[in-house]
Amino acid sequence: MIIHLNKNVSQDKAGELAVKYQAAMFQNGRTVLITSSKVKIATDELKAVADDIFVTDTDIQLASKQYSATKREIKIGDFSIGGTTNNSVVITGPCSVESEEQIEQAAQLCVELGVKVLRAGAFKPRTSPYTFQGLGLEGLKLLDKMRSKYGLKIITEVRDSTHVDEIIEYADIIQIGAKAMYDHGILRKSGVSNKPVLLKRGFGTTLQEFVQSAEFILSGGNPNVILCERGIRTFETKTRFTLDLCGAAWLKEYTNLPIILDPSHAIGYAYGVPDLARSCMALGIDGLLIESHPNPKVAKSDADQQLDFAQFRALHSSLKKVAEAVGYRVI
Ligand code: PEP
Ligand code: MN
């Protein structure tokens, strides 16, 4: 149950109520308490101090349409996604920042095509400890340099909670990767920031578990959460993962959060990314995340799935019509 407290309720009193009802509490213009969704009936004590009370079916609460029927609008610098914007933001860049020359080429491709958000990892959560682990802080500084030089927004991933403060400082959008979806240190720290967070679905998690992870960020007081479906593990081994488009349709129907799809990590092979990206766009979504690299053959991570620049240009030019056909606009 979500309770919007009346403005006259003191912080001390709100704190007492939070303890008594085992509720999460945050402030965002108003004080909000969230109890377990198992609580279906408000006590007279709660009714007396509440402006609004929302009963929800499950612990998908702040993210649910039962709480807010309209999709959240998330501001990323001078543009927004979600709300009633019907903007679909195309985000691209290499899997990892590898060098200044490489990330600058990626930034220049964004400028050439009018792509507003450059994405690359600096702290890489690799499957093997014996592969490239990312440039760390040096990579963040290179991304920061590209932002200043080219006026781009930057999205980059937090690997663990040891460097979440640096990511919050440098990134315009904090990416929480599939392997970190359950890292509560990251979720809680992102919850007390106001920066947009792109939360990726863990590849072995249900939609319920995925959105409940988003609830940790939302209930910390950060309303700016974007969900990202990036493929789940199935019995199929010909492709890297299986992109759950049914899941994306479910998220659209039942949550109030913008949705970005990541076909690159889902299929894992460049040959399928353009067709898959257009299929994703045809769903009517708030954005796409596509990996591209100036020379994928020598990429230090995810080499098989990154598009070269010619492939990305061709894909980008084809997305506009698909988006328009379903009432969206590529930005
Ligand atoms: C990435 O975005 O480069 C990445 C590691 O993705 P995921 O967390 O989806 O595996
Ligand atoms: Mn990658």
Side-chain angles (χ1 to χ4, degrees):
M1 178 184 289
I2 303 171
I3 303 131
H4 286 180
L5 291 182
N6 188 282
K7 289 229 162 63
N8 300 327
V9 179
S10 70
Q11 281 313 293
D12 283 353
K13 176 70 182 166
E16 278 170 29
L17 291 169
V19 173
K20 180 167 175 186
Y21 290 93
Q22 296 183 349
M25 177 171 99
F26 70 88
Q27 277 137 26
N28 200 345
R30 59 157 45 97
T31 305
V32 181
L33 296 183
I34 310 116
T35 71
S36 158
S37 58
K38 292 194 177 107
V39 179
K40 303 289 185 199
I41 298 167
T43 58
D44 289 342
E45 182 186 34
L46 285 176
K47 279 187 199 152
V49 292
D51 282 340
D52 293 297
I53 292 179
F54 305 84
V55 176
T56 55
D57 290 339
T58 74
D59 274 352
I60 294 180
Q61 298 207 65
L62 296 165
S64 74
K65 286 259 170 74
Q66 289 176 311
Y67 176 54
S68 170
T70 49
K71 191 166 28 172
R72 289 165 191 258
E73 180 168 334
I74 297 186
K75 212 168 153 21
I76 303 161
D78 59 352
F79 68 92
S80 294
I81 58 169
T84 54
T85 63
N86 282 4
N87 284 336
S88 196
V89 62
V90 175
I91 299 172
T92 197
C95 182
S96 303
V97 184
E98 296 170 6
S99 66
E100 180 160 354
E101 189 193 0
Q102 173 243 24
I103 199 65
E104 183 145 23
Q105 286 174 308
Q108 286 168 347
L109 179 73
C110 290
V111 173
E112 175 195 321
L113 298 175
V115 168
K116 293 171 185 290
V117 188
L118 172 66
R119 190 210 83 109
F123 293 91
K124 296 303 299 178
R126 303 305 304 283
T127 308
S128 163
Y130 311 120
T131 51
F132 180 60
Q133 304 293 305
L135 296 181
L137 193 57
E138 187 193 335
L140 285 188
K141 290 187 176 160
L142 288 174
L143 286 169
D144 191 38
K145 197 165 172 185
M146 296 308 120
R147 179 198 2 244
S148 320
K149 193 162 172 187
Y150 294 100
L152 296 165
K153 299 295 170 203
I154 299 300
I155 171 166
T156 191
E157 178 174 1
V158 198
R159 183 178 58 211
D160 59 63
S161 54
T162 59
H163 53 262
V164 62
D165 293 325
E166 286 88 336
I167 301 281
I168 292 171
E169 182 187 339
Y170 285 98
D172 298 294
I173 306 172
I174 304 159
Q175 177 177 323
I176 302 178
K179 299 184 190 91
M181 191 205 87
Y182 269 136
D183 184 321
H184 286 227
I186 297 176
L187 295 172
R188 287 180 190 280
K189 279 224 166 175
S190 305
V192 293
S193 153
N194 241 343
K195 288 242 165 118
V197 179
L198 179 123
L199 178 67
K200 287 187 152 196
R201 179 181 182 183
F203 47 74
T205 62
T206 64
L207 293 165
Q208 181 76 27
E209 290 161 342
F210 176 33
V211 187
Q212 280 182 192
S213 268
E215 291 282 332
F216 277 94
I217 305 168
L218 297 166
S219 64
N222 186 347
N224 302 309
V225 179
I226 304 161
L227 298 175
C228 179
E229 158 62 29
R230 46 76 74 210
I232 53 175
R233 180 75 82 219
T234 66
F235 54 80
E236 186 53 71
T237 55
K238 295 290 187 206
T239 58
R240 195 175 176 196
F241 295 96
T242 298
L243 187 59
D244 185 8
L245 294 185
C246 297
W250 187 90
L251 295 170
K252 275 185 71 171
E253 182 68 14
Y254 290 103
T255 78
N256 58 41
L257 302 177
I259 296 152
I260 287 185
L261 297 181
D262 172 358
S264 299
H265 288 88
I267 188 164
Y269 298 98
Y271 74 83
V273 170
D275 282 348
L276 209 49
R278 285 184 285 268
S279 311
C280 291
M281 190 57 96
L283 239 59
I285 44 155
D286 306 288
L288 275 179
L289 196 157
I290 311 282
E291 282 192 342
S292 60
H293 190 287
N295 185 2
K297 280 193 214 69
V298 300
K300 292 188 173 168
S301 58
D302 286 349
D304 291 342
Q305 71 197 32
Q306 304 197 60
L307 300 185
D308 66 27
F309 286 3
Q311 290 167 325
F312 184 78
R313 283 187 189 97
L315 167 61
H316 188 263
S317 73
S318 72
L319 287 172
K320 191 167 170 249
K321 274 193 191 155
V322 182
E324 280 171 8
V326 293
Y328 277 74
R329 176 180 46 238
V330 172
I331 59 163

mmCIF file of all heavy atoms in Angstrom, residues 271-316:
data_model
loop_
_atom_site.group_PDB
_atom_site.id
_atom_site.type_symbol
_atom_site.label_atom_id
_atom_site.label_comp_id
_atom_site.label_asym_id
_atom_site.label_seq_id
_atom_site.Cartn_x
_atom_site.Cartn_y
_atom_site.Cartn_z
ATOM 1 N N TYR A 271 24.951 -9.885 -37.076
ATOM 2 C CA TYR A 271 24.106 -10.126 -38.261
ATOM 3 C C TYR A 271 22.630 -9.904 -37.959
ATOM 4 O O TYR A 271 21.862 -9.477 -38.813
ATOM 5 C CB TYR A 271 24.329 -11.550 -38.821
ATOM 6 C CG TYR A 271 23.697 -12.645 -37.979
ATOM 7 C CD1 TYR A 271 22.356 -12.979 -38.114
ATOM 8 C CD2 TYR A 271 24.447 -13.316 -37.011
ATOM 9 C CE1 TYR A 271 21.768 -13.957 -37.314
ATOM 10 C CE2 TYR A 271 23.876 -14.280 -36.208
ATOM 11 C CZ TYR A 271 22.531 -14.593 -36.359
ATOM 12 O OH TYR A 271 21.944 -15.534 -35.553
ATOM 13 N N GLY A 272 22.201 -10.194 -36.729
ATOM 14 C CA GLY A 272 20.771 -10.125 -36.407
ATOM 15 C C GLY A 272 20.328 -8.813 -35.792
ATOM 16 O O GLY A 272 19.121 -8.594 -35.638
ATOM 17 N N VAL A 273 21.292 -7.969 -35.436
ATOM 18 C CA VAL A 273 20.924 -6.770 -34.669
ATOM 19 C C VAL A 273 20.001 -5.813 -35.441
ATOM 20 O O VAL A 273 18.998 -5.350 -34.892
ATOM 21 C CB VAL A 273 22.194 -6.051 -34.133
ATOM 22 C CG1 VAL A 273 21.863 -4.681 -33.552
ATOM 23 C CG2 VAL A 273 22.876 -6.926 -33.080
ATOM 24 N N PRO A 274 20.272 -5.506 -36.724
ATOM 25 C CA PRO A 274 19.384 -4.552 -37.402
ATOM 26 C C PRO A 274 17.920 -5.020 -37.481
ATOM 27 O O PRO A 274 17.011 -4.257 -37.152
ATOM 28 C CB PRO A 274 20.012 -4.407 -38.799
ATOM 29 C CG PRO A 274 21.466 -4.727 -38.573
ATOM 30 C CD PRO A 274 21.458 -5.822 -37.553
ATOM 31 N N ASP A 275 17.699 -6.280 -37.871
ATOM 32 C CA ASP A 275 16.313 -6.773 -37.955
ATOM 33 C C ASP A 275 15.646 -6.758 -36.583
ATOM 34 O O ASP A 275 14.486 -6.371 -36.445
ATOM 35 C CB ASP A 275 16.272 -8.214 -38.492
ATOM 36 C CG ASP A 275 16.458 -8.260 -40.001
ATOM 37 O OD1 ASP A 275 16.380 -7.190 -40.643
ATOM 38 O OD2 ASP A 275 16.697 -9.361 -40.527
ATOM 39 N N LEU A 276 16.415 -7.180 -35.599
ATOM 40 C CA LEU A 276 15.858 -7.232 -34.248
ATOM 41 C C LEU A 276 15.556 -5.817 -33.728
ATOM 42 O O LEU A 276 14.524 -5.583 -33.090
ATOM 43 C CB LEU A 276 16.884 -7.921 -33.345
ATOM 44 C CG LEU A 276 16.401 -8.701 -32.149
ATOM 45 C CD1 LEU A 276 15.291 -9.670 -32.506
ATOM 46 C CD2 LEU A 276 17.588 -9.485 -31.550
ATOM 47 N N ALA A 277 16.452 -4.891 -34.032
ATOM 48 C CA ALA A 277 16.265 -3.509 -33.568
ATOM 49 C C ALA A 277 14.990 -2.915 -34.167
ATOM 50 O O ALA A 277 14.222 -2.232 -33.486
ATOM 51 C CB ALA A 277 17.471 -2.655 -33.953
ATOM 52 N N ARG A 278 14.750 -3.217 -35.449
ATOM 53 C CA ARG A 278 13.522 -2.701 -36.077
ATOM 54 C C ARG A 278 12.291 -3.367 -35.461
ATOM 55 O O ARG A 278 11.262 -2.711 -35.265
ATOM 56 C CB ARG A 278 13.564 -2.906 -37.596
ATOM 57 C CG ARG A 278 14.503 -1.921 -38.290
ATOM 58 C CD ARG A 278 14.467 -2.080 -39.807
ATOM 59 N NE ARG A 278 15.188 -3.251 -40.252
ATOM 60 C CZ ARG A 278 16.473 -3.256 -40.609
ATOM 61 N NH1 ARG A 278 17.174 -2.152 -40.603
ATOM 62 N NH2 ARG A 278 17.068 -4.381 -40.998
ATOM 63 N N SER A 279 12.407 -4.651 -35.133
ATOM 64 C CA SER A 279 11.273 -5.324 -34.474
ATOM 65 C C SER A 279 10.987 -4.677 -33.121
ATOM 66 O O SER A 279 9.826 -4.480 -32.752
ATOM 67 C CB SER A 279 11.574 -6.804 -34.229
ATOM 68 O OG SER A 279 12.059 -7.404 -35.381
ATOM 69 N N CYS A 280 12.051 -4.368 -32.402
ATOM 70 C CA CYS A 280 11.884 -3.719 -31.090
ATOM 71 C C CYS A 280 11.187 -2.373 -31.272
ATOM 72 O O CYS A 280 10.238 -2.036 -30.553
ATOM 73 C CB CYS A 280 13.244 -3.456 -30.440
ATOM 74 S SG CYS A 280 14.098 -4.935 -29.919
ATOM 75 N N MET A 281 11.662 -1.615 -32.242
ATOM 76 C CA MET A 281 11.097 -0.276 -32.463
ATOM 77 C C MET A 281 9.614 -0.375 -32.803
ATOM 78 O O MET A 281 8.819 0.486 -32.425
ATOM 79 C CB MET A 281 11.898 0.418 -33.580
ATOM 80 C CG MET A 281 11.602 1.873 -33.759
ATOM 81 S SD MET A 281 11.876 2.840 -32.253
ATOM 82 C CE MET A 281 13.518 3.465 -32.503
ATOM 83 N N ALA A 282 9.246 -1.436 -33.519
ATOM 84 C CA ALA A 282 7.851 -1.604 -33.937
ATOM 85 C C ALA A 282 6.913 -1.861 -32.758
ATOM 86 O O ALA A 282 5.698 -1.738 -32.888
ATOM 87 C CB ALA A 282 7.742 -2.751 -34.944
ATOM 88 N N LEU A 283 7.494 -2.188 -31.614
ATOM 89 C CA LEU A 283 6.678 -2.405 -30.419
ATOM 90 C C LEU A 283 6.156 -1.092 -29.836
ATOM 91 O O LEU A 283 5.217 -1.087 -29.045
ATOM 92 C CB LEU A 283 7.550 -3.086 -29.357
ATOM 93 C CG LEU A 283 7.153 -4.419 -28.799
ATOM 94 C CD1 LEU A 283 7.051 -5.465 -29.878
ATOM 95 C CD2 LEU A 283 8.196 -4.856 -27.781
ATOM 96 N N GLY A 284 6.822 0.020 -30.221
ATOM 97 C CA GLY A 284 6.475 1.305 -29.618
ATOM 98 C C GLY A 284 7.150 1.399 -28.254
ATOM 99 O O GLY A 284 6.551 1.123 -27.222
ATOM 100 N N ILE A 285 8.437 1.740 -28.269
ATOM 101 C CA ILE A 285 9.226 1.754 -27.027
ATOM 102 C C ILE A 285 9.950 3.087 -26.893
ATOM 103 O O ILE A 285 10.034 3.865 -27.844
ATOM 104 C CB ILE A 285 10.257 0.606 -27.007
ATOM 105 C CG1 ILE A 285 10.962 0.503 -28.354
ATOM 106 C CG2 ILE A 285 9.590 -0.713 -26.624
ATOM 107 C CD1 ILE A 285 12.305 -0.105 -28.293
ATOM 108 N N ASP A 286 10.508 3.301 -25.711
ATOM 109 C CA ASP A 286 11.084 4.606 -25.401
ATOM 110 C C ASP A 286 12.548 4.730 -25.808
ATOM 111 O O ASP A 286 13.132 5.806 -25.679
ATOM 112 C CB ASP A 286 10.908 4.879 -23.905
ATOM 113 C CG ASP A 286 9.452 4.734 -23.522
ATOM 114 O OD1 ASP A 286 8.669 5.612 -23.906
ATOM 115 O OD2 ASP A 286 9.077 3.707 -22.903
ATOM 116 N N GLY A 287 13.116 3.640 -26.289
ATOM 117 C CA GLY A 287 14.486 3.745 -26.760
ATOM 118 C C GLY A 287 15.109 2.412 -27.090
ATOM 119 O O GLY A 287 14.555 1.349 -26.805
ATOM 120 N N LEU A 288 16.280 2.506 -27.718
ATOM 121 C CA LEU A 288 17.048 1.332 -28.135
ATOM 122 C C LEU A 288 18.494 1.537 -27.731
ATOM 123 O O LEU A 288 19.012 2.662 -27.818
ATOM 124 C CB LEU A 288 17.053 1.242 -29.664
ATOM 125 C CG LEU A 288 15.931 0.569 -30.400
ATOM 126 C CD1 LEU A 288 16.204 0.667 -31.895
ATOM 127 C CD2 LEU A 288 15.802 -0.888 -29.985
ATOM 128 N N LEU A 289 19.104 0.447 -27.343
ATOM 129 C CA LEU A 289 20.523 0.511 -27.018
ATOM 130 C C LEU A 289 21.240 -0.438 -27.993
ATOM 131 O O LEU A 289 20.946 -1.632 -28.022
ATOM 132 C CB LEU A 289 20.658 0.022 -25.581
ATOM 133 C CG LEU A 289 21.915 0.277 -24.793
ATOM 134 C CD1 LEU A 289 21.569 0.211 -23.327
ATOM 135 C CD2 LEU A 289 22.942 -0.736 -25.144
ATOM 136 N N ILE A 290 22.103 0.122 -28.818
ATOM 137 C CA ILE A 290 22.767 -0.668 -29.860
ATOM 138 C C ILE A 290 24.278 -0.493 -29.720
ATOM 139 O O ILE A 290 24.759 0.643 -29.697
ATOM 140 C CB ILE A 290 22.391 -0.155 -31.285
ATOM 141 C CG1 ILE A 290 20.876 0.029 -31.451
ATOM 142 C CG2 ILE A 290 23.006 -1.022 -32.377
ATOM 143 C CD1 ILE A 290 20.113 -1.231 -31.679
ATOM 144 N N GLU A 291 24.998 -1.598 -29.678
ATOM 145 C CA GLU A 291 26.456 -1.458 -29.596
ATOM 146 C C GLU A 291 27.053 -1.277 -30.991
ATOM 147 O O GLU A 291 26.710 -2.008 -31.931
ATOM 148 C CB GLU A 291 27.074 -2.690 -28.925
ATOM 149 C CG GLU A 291 26.887 -2.635 -27.426
ATOM 150 C CD GLU A 291 27.714 -3.650 -26.645
ATOM 151 O OE1 GLU A 291 28.189 -4.636 -27.242
ATOM 152 O OE2 GLU A 291 27.878 -3.452 -25.436
ATOM 153 N N SER A 292 27.954 -0.291 -31.102
ATOM 154 C CA SER A 292 28.671 -0.078 -32.365
ATOM 155 C C SER A 292 30.125 0.255 -32.045
ATOM 156 O O SER A 292 30.421 0.775 -30.964
ATOM 157 C CB SER A 292 28.020 1.053 -33.170
ATOM 158 O OG SER A 292 28.041 2.251 -32.432
ATOM 159 N N HIS A 293 30.979 -0.057 -33.005
ATOM 160 C CA HIS A 293 32.428 0.060 -32.747
ATOM 161 C C HIS A 293 33.105 0.438 -34.064
ATOM 162 O O HIS A 293 32.701 -0.073 -35.118
ATOM 163 C CB HIS A 293 32.925 -1.300 -32.233
ATOM 164 C CG HIS A 293 34.318 -1.290 -31.708
ATOM 165 N ND1 HIS A 293 35.427 -1.198 -32.513
ATOM 166 C CD2 HIS A 293 34.786 -1.375 -30.431
ATOM 167 C CE1 HIS A 293 36.526 -1.222 -31.762
ATOM 168 N NE2 HIS A 293 36.165 -1.328 -30.490
ATOM 169 N N PRO A 294 34.125 1.292 -34.018
ATOM 170 C CA PRO A 294 34.792 1.653 -35.284
ATOM 171 C C PRO A 294 35.401 0.446 -36.006
ATOM 172 O O PRO A 294 35.508 0.451 -37.233
ATOM 173 C CB PRO A 294 35.882 2.655 -34.867
ATOM 174 C CG PRO A 294 35.884 2.707 -33.381
ATOM 175 C CD PRO A 294 34.640 2.052 -32.875
ATOM 176 N N ASN A 295 35.785 -0.572 -35.255
ATOM 177 C CA ASN A 295 36.353 -1.775 -35.872
ATOM 178 C C ASN A 295 36.027 -2.985 -34.979
ATOM 179 O O ASN A 295 36.860 -3.417 -34.173
ATOM 180 C CB ASN A 295 37.874 -1.606 -36.041
ATOM 181 C CG ASN A 295 38.487 -2.775 -36.775
ATOM 182 O OD1 ASN A 295 37.781 -3.709 -37.193
ATOM 183 N ND2 ASN A 295 39.800 -2.754 -36.929
ATOM 184 N N PRO A 296 34.793 -3.514 -35.117
ATOM 185 C CA PRO A 296 34.352 -4.568 -34.182
ATOM 186 C C PRO A 296 35.320 -5.747 -34.073
ATOM 187 O O PRO A 296 35.433 -6.355 -33.015
ATOM 188 C CB PRO A 296 33.007 -5.017 -34.768
ATOM 189 C CG PRO A 296 32.522 -3.858 -35.559
ATOM 190 C CD PRO A 296 33.751 -3.178 -36.093
ATOM 191 N N LYS A 297 36.030 -6.034 -35.156
ATOM 192 C CA LYS A 297 36.924 -7.219 -35.137
ATOM 193 C C LYS A 297 37.955 -7.137 -34.017
ATOM 194 O O LYS A 297 38.381 -8.158 -33.490
ATOM 195 C CB LYS A 297 37.663 -7.332 -36.474
ATOM 196 C CG LYS A 297 36.837 -7.941 -37.571
ATOM 197 C CD LYS A 297 37.754 -8.296 -38.754
ATOM 198 C CE LYS A 297 37.065 -8.128 -40.069
ATOM 199 N NZ LYS A 297 36.740 -6.769 -40.490
ATOM 200 N N VAL A 298 38.367 -5.907 -33.675
ATOM 201 C CA VAL A 298 39.409 -5.785 -32.646
ATOM 202 C C VAL A 298 38.833 -5.322 -31.299
ATOM 203 O O VAL A 298 39.586 -4.973 -30.389
ATOM 204 C CB VAL A 298 40.541 -4.819 -33.100
ATOM 205 C CG1 VAL A 298 41.193 -5.322 -34.374
ATOM 206 C CG2 VAL A 298 40.015 -3.388 -33.277
ATOM 207 N N ALA A 299 37.503 -5.314 -31.185
ATOM 208 C CA ALA A 299 36.877 -4.862 -29.926
ATOM 209 C C ALA A 299 37.356 -5.731 -28.763
ATOM 210 O O ALA A 299 37.519 -6.943 -28.900
ATOM 211 C CB ALA A 299 35.362 -4.930 -30.045
ATOM 212 N N LYS A 300 37.562 -5.095 -27.610
ATOM 213 C CA LYS A 300 38.092 -5.835 -26.451
ATOM 214 C C LYS A 300 36.998 -6.544 -25.665
ATOM 215 O O LYS A 300 37.279 -7.309 -24.753
ATOM 216 C CB LYS A 300 38.869 -4.869 -25.551
ATOM 217 C CG LYS A 300 40.139 -4.367 -26.218
ATOM 218 C CD LYS A 300 40.994 -3.580 -25.257
ATOM 219 C CE LYS A 300 42.331 -3.236 -25.911
ATOM 220 N NZ LYS A 300 43.087 -2.253 -25.164
ATOM 221 N N SER A 301 35.735 -6.226 -25.952
ATOM 222 C CA SER A 301 34.629 -6.978 -25.333
ATOM 223 C C SER A 301 33.467 -6.981 -26.313
ATOM 224 O O SER A 301 33.310 -6.054 -27.107
ATOM 225 C CB SER A 301 34.208 -6.341 -23.996
ATOM 226 O OG SER A 301 33.825 -4.996 -24.176
ATOM 227 N N ASP A 302 32.664 -8.024 -26.254
ATOM 228 C CA ASP A 302 31.474 -8.161 -27.101
ATOM 229 C C ASP A 302 31.731 -7.886 -28.587
ATOM 230 O O ASP A 302 30.934 -7.224 -29.269
ATOM 231 C CB ASP A 302 30.340 -7.252 -26.583
ATOM 232 C CG ASP A 302 29.704 -7.807 -25.300
ATOM 233 O OD1 ASP A 302 29.992 -8.972 -24.948
ATOM 234 O OD2 ASP A 302 28.934 -7.070 -24.664
ATOM 235 N N ALA A 303 32.850 -8.423 -29.089
ATOM 236 C CA ALA A 303 33.248 -8.150 -30.482
ATOM 237 C C ALA A 303 32.216 -8.674 -31.494
ATOM 238 O O ALA A 303 31.955 -8.030 -32.510
ATOM 239 C CB ALA A 303 34.613 -8.776 -30.763
ATOM 240 N N ASP A 304 31.622 -9.824 -31.212
ATOM 241 C CA ASP A 304 30.742 -10.450 -32.213
ATOM 242 C C ASP A 304 29.465 -9.657 -32.492
ATOM 243 O O ASP A 304 28.852 -9.798 -33.538
ATOM 244 C CB ASP A 304 30.311 -11.858 -31.745
ATOM 245 C CG ASP A 304 31.472 -12.824 -31.743
ATOM 246 O OD1 ASP A 304 32.484 -12.526 -32.406
ATOM 247 O OD2 ASP A 304 31.368 -13.857 -31.056
ATOM 248 N N GLN A 305 29.029 -8.886 -31.512
ATOM 249 C CA GLN A 305 27.703 -8.282 -31.638
ATOM 250 C C GLN A 305 27.709 -6.804 -32.031
ATOM 251 O O GLN A 305 26.667 -6.229 -32.310
ATOM 252 C CB GLN A 305 26.939 -8.430 -30.321
ATOM 253 C CG GLN A 305 27.476 -7.554 -29.197
ATOM 254 C CD GLN A 305 26.990 -7.991 -27.826
ATOM 255 O OE1 GLN A 305 26.766 -9.151 -27.574
ATOM 256 N NE2 GLN A 305 26.826 -7.033 -26.932
ATOM 257 N N GLN A 306 28.898 -6.191 -32.077
ATOM 258 C CA GLN A 306 28.912 -4.755 -32.322
ATOM 259 C C GLN A 306 28.814 -4.472 -33.821
ATOM 260 O O GLN A 306 29.471 -5.125 -34.637
ATOM 261 C CB GLN A 306 30.175 -4.128 -31.739
ATOM 262 C CG GLN A 306 30.287 -4.438 -30.244
ATOM 263 C CD GLN A 306 31.261 -3.555 -29.509
ATOM 264 O OE1 GLN A 306 31.106 -2.340 -29.483
ATOM 265 N NE2 GLN A 306 32.271 -4.148 -28.910
ATOM 266 N N LEU A 307 28.000 -3.491 -34.163
ATOM 267 C CA LEU A 307 27.872 -3.104 -35.565
ATOM 268 C C LEU A 307 29.057 -2.221 -35.938
ATOM 269 O O LEU A 307 29.525 -1.427 -35.102
ATOM 270 C CB LEU A 307 26.579 -2.312 -35.796
ATOM 271 C CG LEU A 307 25.262 -3.012 -35.465
ATOM 272 C CD1 LEU A 307 24.079 -2.121 -35.874
ATOM 273 C CD2 LEU A 307 25.160 -4.366 -36.164
ATOM 274 N N ASP A 308 29.526 -2.339 -37.186
ATOM 275 C CA ASP A 308 30.506 -1.332 -37.607
ATOM 276 C C ASP A 308 29.724 -0.076 -37.990
ATOM 277 O O ASP A 308 28.485 -0.074 -37.994
ATOM 278 C CB ASP A 308 31.432 -1.876 -38.716
ATOM 279 C CG ASP A 308 30.689 -2.164 -40.022
ATOM 280 O OD1 ASP A 308 29.654 -1.512 -40.281
ATOM 281 O OD2 ASP A 308 31.139 -3.047 -40.779
ATOM 282 N N PHE A 309 30.424 0.989 -38.282
ATOM 283 C CA PHE A 309 29.728 2.267 -38.452
ATOM 284 C C PHE A 309 28.814 2.266 -39.682
ATOM 285 O O PHE A 309 27.741 2.872 -39.674
ATOM 286 C CB PHE A 309 30.725 3.427 -38.502
ATOM 287 C CG PHE A 309 31.324 3.757 -37.145
ATOM 288 C CD1 PHE A 309 31.011 3.005 -36.012
ATOM 289 C CD2 PHE A 309 32.201 4.835 -37.001
ATOM 290 C CE1 PHE A 309 31.550 3.297 -34.760
ATOM 291 C CE2 PHE A 309 32.739 5.151 -35.752
ATOM 292 C CZ PHE A 309 32.423 4.381 -34.634
ATOM 293 N N ALA A 310 29.231 1.563 -40.745
ATOM 294 C CA ALA A 310 28.376 1.515 -41.943
ATOM 295 C C ALA A 310 27.073 0.788 -41.600
ATOM 296 O O ALA A 310 25.975 1.224 -41.999
ATOM 297 C CB ALA A 310 29.109 0.802 -43.076
ATOM 298 N N GLN A 311 27.188 -0.291 -40.861
ATOM 299 C CA GLN A 311 25.978 -1.043 -40.471
ATOM 300 C C GLN A 311 25.090 -0.188 -39.559
ATOM 301 O O GLN A 311 23.868 -0.191 -39.687
ATOM 302 C CB GLN A 311 26.371 -2.332 -39.724
ATOM 303 C CG GLN A 311 27.011 -3.365 -40.614
ATOM 304 C CD GLN A 311 27.680 -4.481 -39.792
ATOM 305 O OE1 GLN A 311 28.235 -4.250 -38.719
ATOM 306 N NE2 GLN A 311 27.628 -5.692 -40.303
ATOM 307 N N PHE A 312 25.730 0.551 -38.651
ATOM 308 C CA PHE A 312 24.917 1.368 -37.745
ATOM 309 C C PHE A 312 24.224 2.498 -38.507
ATOM 310 O O PHE A 312 23.045 2.791 -38.268
ATOM 311 C CB PHE A 312 25.749 1.929 -36.578
ATOM 312 C CG PHE A 312 24.876 2.692 -35.617
ATOM 313 C CD1 PHE A 312 24.079 2.006 -34.695
ATOM 314 C CD2 PHE A 312 24.777 4.074 -35.677
ATOM 315 C CE1 PHE A 312 23.218 2.694 -33.845
ATOM 316 C CE2 PHE A 312 23.917 4.770 -34.839
ATOM 317 C CZ PHE A 312 23.140 4.077 -33.911
ATOM 318 N N ARG A 313 24.943 3.119 -39.436
ATOM 319 C CA ARG A 313 24.317 4.207 -40.229
ATOM 320 C C ARG A 313 23.082 3.679 -40.961
ATOM 321 O O ARG A 313 22.034 4.306 -40.973
ATOM 322 C CB ARG A 313 25.301 4.752 -41.268
ATOM 323 C CG ARG A 313 26.356 5.671 -40.705
ATOM 324 C CD ARG A 313 27.183 6.302 -41.844
ATOM 325 N NE ARG A 313 28.317 7.006 -41.299
ATOM 326 C CZ ARG A 313 29.568 6.504 -41.207
ATOM 327 N NH1 ARG A 313 29.838 5.291 -41.676
ATOM 328 N NH2 ARG A 313 30.542 7.218 -40.678
ATOM 329 N N ALA A 314 23.225 2.513 -41.577
ATOM 330 C CA ALA A 314 22.105 1.939 -42.341
ATOM 331 C C ALA A 314 20.934 1.634 -41.409
ATOM 332 O O ALA A 314 19.773 1.932 -41.720
ATOM 333 C CB ALA A 314 22.558 0.681 -43.065
ATOM 334 N N LEU A 315 21.225 1.047 -40.265
ATOM 335 C CA LEU A 315 20.159 0.743 -39.304
ATOM 336 C C LEU A 315 19.475 2.031 -38.847
ATOM 337 O O LEU A 315 18.249 2.135 -38.851
ATOM 338 C CB LEU A 315 20.739 -0.004 -38.090
ATOM 339 C CG LEU A 315 19.792 -0.107 -36.885
ATOM 340 C CD1 LEU A 315 18.526 -0.868 -37.244
ATOM 341 C CD2 LEU A 315 20.497 -0.781 -35.698
ATOM 342 N N HIS A 316 20.299 3.008 -38.490
ATOM 343 C CA HIS A 316 19.742 4.249 -37.944
ATOM 344 C C HIS A 316 18.781 4.897 -38.937
ATOM 345 O O HIS A 316 17.697 5.351 -38.571
ATOM 346 C CB HIS A 316 20.892 5.196 -37.563
ATOM 347 C CG HIS A 316 20.438 6.411 -36.828
ATOM 348 N ND1 HIS A 316 20.214 7.621 -37.437
ATOM 349 C CD2 HIS A 316 20.115 6.591 -35.522
ATOM 350 C CE1 HIS A 316 19.793 8.499 -36.539
ATOM 351 N NE2 HIS A 316 19.716 7.906 -35.365
#
